C-alpha cells in the first residue's frame, strides 16, 4: 500500500500505467454503443466489475454518487481499465488496495462525477484569449478611450500603423456610461490611430467598429442587411459601426487569422483550465470544419483531456434543406469520426438572438416594450419557422442525430417544441434526446411540453441573478409579468422536465462552482440580489445532478458517466470542500484538487502544471468579480469568429 505525502497529492507511478490503452483509447472516445455493452454498471455498493487491486482508491470522502436513496459512500476504487471498480465504505474497499495502489485521503471532502458542460465553446475561449479583453467593463467614453489607447500601444503601437487590426474581446454593449449612451464609430474614430478597430461584444451578438474597419469591409449606407443580421444605421441612413448577429461576418472576414500553432496552444491552455475547474465532458455547441481540425490537432498532440461531443452548426439556409443538411453533417462525421475523444451525433441551430437591450433579437410571443411600458412593433427575430425546424428535426432524428436549439425568447422556445412535436409524430421516435438551450423566458403554457416530448432543458443558470443584464437592460423592455419567468428552472423541474447544465463559456467566464451556487440561491458571487429564488431556485442535490447525470443523459452517455457507481468510467473530481454540506455561498470558491477522465489524471492541483492551472482559475474568479456584471444568457456568436474559433468561414 502506498500513500500520498499530501492528503490530496498523487504520485503517477501506478495510476498512469493503470489507465493504459483501455483508459486512454477505449474509454475516452467511447460512444453510446460501447457504453451500453462494455461499460454497463455493476450492482450494489461495495462490489465491483473487476478483480485484483485497484489503481487508485479515494478514501475518507463524502461521495456524491448522484444515485438517490443509496447508502452513504466514503470510498471509491478505480480499476486499471479506467472504470470505477467499486464504491462503499473505507473498510469495505480495503480489499482493493494492493502494493502499487495509490491511496488518496479526501479528508471528508467531496468526490463526485466530473462536471458535464452541456453547452460551451472551449475553442472560442482559446481564440479569444489571444486578444485583449475589456472584461465586460462599464466605462465612460473617456475611460474607454484611455483603455483602448493602452491596447493600441500593447499590440504594436506605431509599428502596427496604419493597417494592423486592433480586435478587442468582451465589449459590453450596454456598458457605455452614462446609461443609454449609444455607441457610434465617431467615438472610436477619435482615437490617435489610423488602424482598423473592432470591439467584439461579450454577448457574441454585437460588434462595434471604427470608420476605417467599415471602409475595409466595404460597409456603406447601401449595404443590405444579411440574413440573420443587422447593420445598425443612424437617422441619416449611415452605418453607426454597430453590427448585429450575422452582420458581424461582413467585417470579421477581413480580420487576419491567428496561426494554427497559436490556436492549438491557446486552446490547449483553456482545456487545461476546464480540467482544473472539474469539467470532464463538454458539448461544444458551435462546430464546423475549422473546429474539428483543431480538435484533431489537439487530440494528436495529447492535449484533449475531456470527452467532447461536437454539435455541428447549421446556418439558416441549411435548415430549409434537411436532406442537404444531413448530408453535410454526415460528411463531417465521416471525415473526423476517427479523432480520439470526439463523439458525433448532435447538430446546433439558432432559432433567435438575444433579449437584452440594445440587441432585442430574441423572439417573443408579445412585443418588446419601449422602456416606458408601451408595446413596440418588435417581437424579435425568428430565424427558422416551426415548419422548417420540424422537418429538419424529423430528418435528423430519423437518422439517429440529436437536435440542439438556441431558444432564448418564449416564441423561439415554442417554435422548438412545435418542431420536436412534429418530428415525434412523423418519426414515431420517443427518445430522440433533443434539447433547447438558454430558456431565458418560457411561457407557462409550454412548461409541461418538455416532459411530454422528452426534451432536455439545457440552462445556463450562472446568469440567474439580479444585475445590469437582468434588470436595467431587460425589465423595462418586457415588463414584470414576463420578467418573473426568467430562467424558470424550478418550474420546469416541477413540470417533469429533464434539467441539464452548461456554462456557455466564453460568453461568460468559466466559473463552474459559482454557476452551481447561483442555480441554488439565484444570486451567486456577483449578483446584486436574488432573482426569484423562492420561485425558481433549485435544491443542492438537483443542481449537482443537473450538471452531472442530467447532462450525461442529454449527451446519451448516461451508461458511461454522470454517476459514481461500479462499472462506470472513472470520470471523477476530488474537491477541496464538501459541497454537499458547506454553506451555499461557499460553493462559489470550490477548488478542484484532482480530475480524472477514464481513470487518467488530467488535473492534479499538487503538480506544477496543476498549480498553474488552478492559479488561472483563481485569477479568473478575481477578474470576474472586478469586472462587475457580465452578459446574461447570451449564446455563441451567430457565425464568424466563434463559429470558426478565429476566422470567418462558410460551411
Amino acid at each position: 500500500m502506498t500513500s500520498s505525502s499530501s492528503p490530496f497529492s498523487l504520485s503517477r507511478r501506478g495510476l498512469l500505467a493503470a489507465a493504459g490503452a483501455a483508459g486512454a483509447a477505449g474509454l475516452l472516445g467511447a460512444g453510446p454503443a460501447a457504453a451500453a455493452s462494455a461499460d454497463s454498471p455493476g450492482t450494489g455498493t461495495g462490489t465491483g466489475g473487476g478483480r485484483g487491486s485497484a489503481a487508485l482508491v479515494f478514501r475518507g470522502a463524502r461521495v456524491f454518487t448522484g444515485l438517490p436513496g443509496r447508502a452513504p459512500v466514503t470510498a471509491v476504487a478505480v480499476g486499471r481499465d479506467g472504470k470505477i471498480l467499486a464504491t462503499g465504505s473505507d473498510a469495505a474497499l480495503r480489499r482493493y488496495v494492493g502494493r502499487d495502489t495509490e491511496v488518496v485521503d479526501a479528508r471528508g471532502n467531496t468526490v463526485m462525477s466530473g462536471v458535464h458542460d452541456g453547452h460551451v465553446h472551449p475553442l472560442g475561449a482559446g481564440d479569444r484569449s489571444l486578444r485583449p479583453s475589456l472584461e465586460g467593463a462599464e466605462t465612460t467614453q473617456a475611460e474607454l478611450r484611455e483603455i483602448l489607447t493602452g491596447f493600441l500601444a500593447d499590440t504594436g503601437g506605431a509599428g502596427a500603423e496604419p493597417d494592423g487590426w486592433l480586435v478587442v474581446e468582451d465589449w459590453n454593449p450596454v456598458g457605455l456610461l452614462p446609461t443609454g449612451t449609444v455607441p457610434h464609430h465617431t467615438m472610436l474614430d477619435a482615437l490617435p490611430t489610423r488602424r482598423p478597430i473592432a470591439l467584439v461584444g461579450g454577448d457574441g451578438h454585437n460588434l462595434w467598429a471604427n470608420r476605417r474597419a467599415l471602409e475595409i469591409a466595404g460597409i456603406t449606407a447601401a449595404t443590405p442587411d444579411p440574413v440573420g443580421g443587422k447593420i445598425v444605421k443612424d437617422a441619416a441612413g449611415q452605418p453607426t459601426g454597430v453590427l448585429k448577429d450575422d452582420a458581424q461576418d461582413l467585417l470579421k472576414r477581413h480580420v487576419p487569422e491567428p496561426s494554427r500553432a497559436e490556436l492549438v496552444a491557446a486552446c490547449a491552455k483553456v482545456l487545461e483550465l476546464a480540467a482544473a475547474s472539474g469539467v470532464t465532458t463538454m458539448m461544444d455547441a458551435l462546430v464546423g470544419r475549422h473546429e474539428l481540425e483543431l480538435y484533431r490537432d489537439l487530440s494528436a498532440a495529447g492535449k484533449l483531456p475531456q470527452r467532447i461531443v461536437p454539435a455541428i452548426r447549421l446556418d439558416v439556409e441549411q435548415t430549409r434543406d434537411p436532406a442537404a443538411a444531413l448530408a453535410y453533417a454526415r460528411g463531417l462525421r465521416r471525415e473526423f469520426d476517427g479523432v480520439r475523444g470526439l463523439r458525433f451525433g448532435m447538430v446546433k441551430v439558432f432559432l433567435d438572438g438575444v433579449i437584452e437591450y440594445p440587441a432585442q433579437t430574441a423572439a417573443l410571443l408579445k412585443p418588446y416594450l419601449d422602456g416606458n411600458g408601451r408595446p413596440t412593433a418588435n417581437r424579435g427575430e425568428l430565424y427558422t419557422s416551426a415548419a422548417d425546424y420540424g422537418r429538419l428535426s424529423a430528418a435528423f432524428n430519423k437518422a439517429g442525430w440529436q437536435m440542439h436549439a438556441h431558444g432564448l425568447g418564449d416564441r423561439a422556445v415554442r417554435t422548438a417544441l412545435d418542431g420536436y412535436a412534429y418530428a415525434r409524430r412523423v418519426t414515431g421516435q420517443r427518445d430522440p434526446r433533443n434539447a433547447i438551450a438558454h430558456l431565458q423566458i418560457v411561457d407557462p403554457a409550454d412548461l409541461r411540453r418538455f416532459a411530454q416530448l422528452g426534451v432536455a432543458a439545457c440552462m445556463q443558470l450562472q446568469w440567474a441573478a439580479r444585475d445590469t443584464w437582468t434588470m436595467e437592460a431587460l425589465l423595462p423592455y418586457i415588463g414584470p409579468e414576463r420578467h418573473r419567468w426568467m430562467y424558470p428552472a424550478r418550474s420546469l423541474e416541477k413540470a417533469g422536465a429533464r434539467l441539464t447544465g452548461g456554462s456557455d463559456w466564453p460568453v461568460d467566464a468559466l466559473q463552474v462552482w459559482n454557476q452551481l451556487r447561483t442555480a441554488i440561491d439565484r444570486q451567486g458571487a456577483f449578483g446584486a440580489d436574488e432573482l426569484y429564488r423562492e420561485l425558481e431556485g433549485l435544491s443542492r442535490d438537483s443542481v449537482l445532478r443537473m450538471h452531472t447525470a442530467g447532462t450525461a443523459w442529454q449527451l446519451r452517455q448516461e451508461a458511461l458517466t454522470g454517476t459514481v457507481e461500479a462499472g462506470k468510467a472513472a470520470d471523477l473530481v476530488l474537491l477541496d470542500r464538501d459541497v454537499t454540506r458547506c454553506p451555499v455561498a461557499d460553493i462559489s470558491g470550490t477548488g478542484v484538487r484532482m480530475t480524472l477522465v477514464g481513470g487518467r489524471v488530467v488535473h492534479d492541483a499538487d503538480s506544477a502544471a496543476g498549480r498553474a492551472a488552478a492559479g488561472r482559475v483563481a485569477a479568473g474568479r478575481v477578474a470576474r468579480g472586478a469586472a462587475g456584471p457580465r452578459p446574461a444568457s447570451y449564446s455563441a456568436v451567430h457565425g464568424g469568429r466563434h463559429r470558426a474559433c478565429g476566422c470567418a468561414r462558410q460551411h
Side-chain angles (χ1 to χ4, degrees):
M1 171 177 173
T2 62
S3 60
S4 308
S5 58
S6 154
F8 296 111
S9 66
L10 177 66
S11 76
R12 307 295 177 81
R13 178 164 52 86
L15 186 56
L16 291 183
L27 281 178
L28 195 55
S37 55
D39 300 318
S40 57
T43 58
T45 58
T47 61
R51 296 180 178 179
S53 63
L56 166 69
V57 171
F58 290 110
R59 69 181 180 189
R62 185 171 294 279
V63 180
F64 180 79
T65 64
L67 302 167
R70 296 292 182 93
V73 172
T74 62
V76 180
V78 176
R80 299 175 189 279
D81 58 356
K83 302 177 189 177
I84 297 172
L85 186 60
T87 66
S89 67
D90 289 8
L93 265 61
R94 284 178 189 158
R95 58 179 161 158
Y96 294 102
V97 177
R99 293 178 181 176
D100 59 351
T101 300
E102 300 291 347
V103 179
V104 178
D105 185 355
R107 292 196 170 182
N109 297 311
T110 298
V111 170
M112 59 180 284
S113 163
V115 172
H116 293 50
D117 195 323
H119 187 106
V120 64
H121 311 279
L123 302 187
D127 175 54
R128 287 192 184 192
S129 72
L130 294 171
R131 289 176 290 277
S133 171
L134 285 167
E135 296 292 347
E138 296 180 357
T139 66
T140 64
Q141 292 184 52
E143 291 167 340
L144 180 61
R145 280 197 298 272
E146 181 179 357
I147 294 169
L148 294 179
T149 299
F151 287 163
L152 286 166
D154 293 342
T155 56
E161 295 287 347
D163 298 321
W165 281 79
L166 173 64
V167 179
V168 180
E169 299 290 345
D170 297 315
W171 163 56
N172 184 340
V174 297
L176 278 178
L177 301 176
T179 300
T181 303
V182 178
H184 195 277
H185 67 75
T186 54
M187 301 175 189
L188 302 179
D189 297 341
L191 287 163
T193 183
R194 278 281 298 148
R195 294 169 62 181
I197 298 173
L199 307 187
V200 181
D203 58 3
H205 294 261
N206 289 275
L207 180 149
W208 180 17
N210 67 352
R211 181 187 293 275
R212 178 76 195 291
L214 294 175
E215 290 171 350
I216 291 173
I219 297 173
T220 68
T223 305
D225 290 336
V227 176
K230 183 176 180 62
I231 301 169
V232 179
K233 296 176 181 176
D234 59 24
Q238 297 297 319
T240 66
V242 176
L243 307 175
K244 295 185 178 184
D245 293 330
D246 281 354
Q248 296 174 91
D249 287 353
L250 300 176
L251 188 139
K252 286 183 177 181
R253 63 173 64 119
H254 297 277
V255 177
E257 304 172 11
S259 71
R260 175 58 60 88
E262 288 174 324
L263 276 174
V264 170
C267 291
K269 199 167 185 178
V270 300
L271 291 174
E272 289 178 1
L273 181 68
S277 300
V279 179
T280 56
T281 289
M282 292 189 281
M283 198 283 279
D284 189 326
L286 208 67
V287 169
R289 174 179 299 281
H290 183 64
E291 286 83 3
L292 292 173
E293 290 172 347
L294 277 173
Y295 278 126
R296 181 171 59 193
D297 290 349
L298 287 161
S299 182
K303 297 182 181 298
L304 188 55
Q306 290 86 10
R307 304 176 193 273
I308 304 294
V309 178
I312 296 171
R313 193 254 179 149
L314 303 178
D315 61 29
V316 173
E317 289 78 10
Q318 288 173 308
T319 65
R320 296 167 183 156
D321 189 343
L326 183 58
Y328 163 73
R330 282 173 162 167
L332 287 178
R333 181 172 63 182
R334 280 194 302 270
E335 185 174 351
F336 294 96
D337 207 18
V339 176
R340 193 176 71 188
L342 301 187
R343 181 175 60 76
F344 288 86
M346 187 90 64
V347 292
K348 162 74 175 292
V349 176
F350 284 97
L351 295 184
D352 67 345
V354 295
I355 195 169
E356 288 83 6
Y357 176 88
Q360 296 184 333
T361 51
L364 301 183
L365 293 170
K366 296 179 181 178
Y368 288 89
L369 306 180
D370 64 1
N372 295 305
R374 294 184 294 270
T376 68
N378 179 26
R379 289 202 300 150
E381 299 184 29
L382 191 64
Y383 302 139
T384 301
S385 69
D388 283 344
Y389 192 64
R391 286 188 287 268
L392 186 76
S393 298
F396 274 92
N397 288 168
K398 186 176 181 180
W401 291 69
Q402 298 169 257
M403 304 296 295
H404 190 90
H406 168 112
L408 198 145
D410 51 10
R411 183 160 61 111
V413 173
R414 182 167 294 177
T415 296
L417 292 170
D418 288 347
Y420 294 150
Y422 172 85
R424 186 183 179 99
R425 289 194 302 271
V426 169
T427 66
Q429 294 188 4
R430 293 296 179 262
D431 189 29
R433 308 273 177 101
N434 296 320
I436 307 174
H438 308 313
L439 303 169
Q440 188 161 357
I441 295 183
V442 180
D443 189 274
D446 289 323
L447 295 171
R448 293 190 178 278
R449 299 182 70 195
F450 283 81
Q452 292 167 355
L453 296 171
V455 174
C458 182
M459 307 190 80
Q460 290 62 55
L461 293 177
Q462 71 271 33
W463 299 318
R466 286 182 181 264
D467 58 24
T468 300
W469 296 87
T470 57
M471 301 307 294
E472 290 89 342
L474 186 55
L475 179 58
Y477 304 101
I478 63 171
E481 183 178 350
R482 283 183 288 185
H483 194 267
R484 171 264 171 273
W485 292 102
M486 288 270 290
Y487 308 112
R490 191 192 301 178
S491 294
L492 282 162
E493 183 182 49
K494 288 171 64 177
R498 295 257 197 170
L499 298 184
T500 73
S503 67
D504 211 4
W505 178 46
V507 173
D508 202 358
L510 186 68
Q511 297 290 337
V512 170
W513 301 97
N514 185 61
Q515 174 182 322
L516 272 67
R517 175 247 176 118
T518 309
I520 300 168
D521 69 8
R522 306 279 291 198
Q523 180 173 352
F526 312 114
D529 205 346
E530 297 173 353
L531 184 71
Y532 307 121
R533 180 182 64 83
E534 294 297 328
L535 295 172
E536 300 299 348
L538 296 171
S539 73
R540 195 181 313 224
D541 278 4
S542 289
V543 169
L544 290 172
R545 286 195 297 270
M546 171 184 181
H547 290 86
T548 53
T551 307
W553 178 87
Q554 172 192 324
L555 302 180
R556 288 194 180 276
Q557 66 178 51
E558 75 275 15
L560 180 67
T561 65
T563 55
V564 182
E565 55 184 315
K568 291 285 184 76
D571 288 19
L572 303 170
V573 293
L574 167 62
L575 308 180
D576 67 355
R577 65 199 67 192
D578 180 9
V579 295
T580 69
R581 291 193 175 185
C582 70
V584 170
D586 289 353
I587 296 174
S588 292
T590 298
V592 178
R593 304 304 306 170
M594 191 179 297
T595 305
L596 279 68
V597 176
R600 296 187 305 133
V601 175
V602 296
H603 168 71
D604 179 353
D606 290 313
S607 69
R611 284 192 296 271
R616 292 197 297 273
V617 173
R621 284 198 293 266
V622 173
R624 171 67 173 84
R630 293 295 302 275
S633 160
Y634 283 168
S635 86
V637 175
H638 293 184
R641 178 168 294 103
H642 216 58
R643 179 172 68 203
C645 191
C647 56
R649 296 178 185 270
Q650 296 299 317
H651 295 303

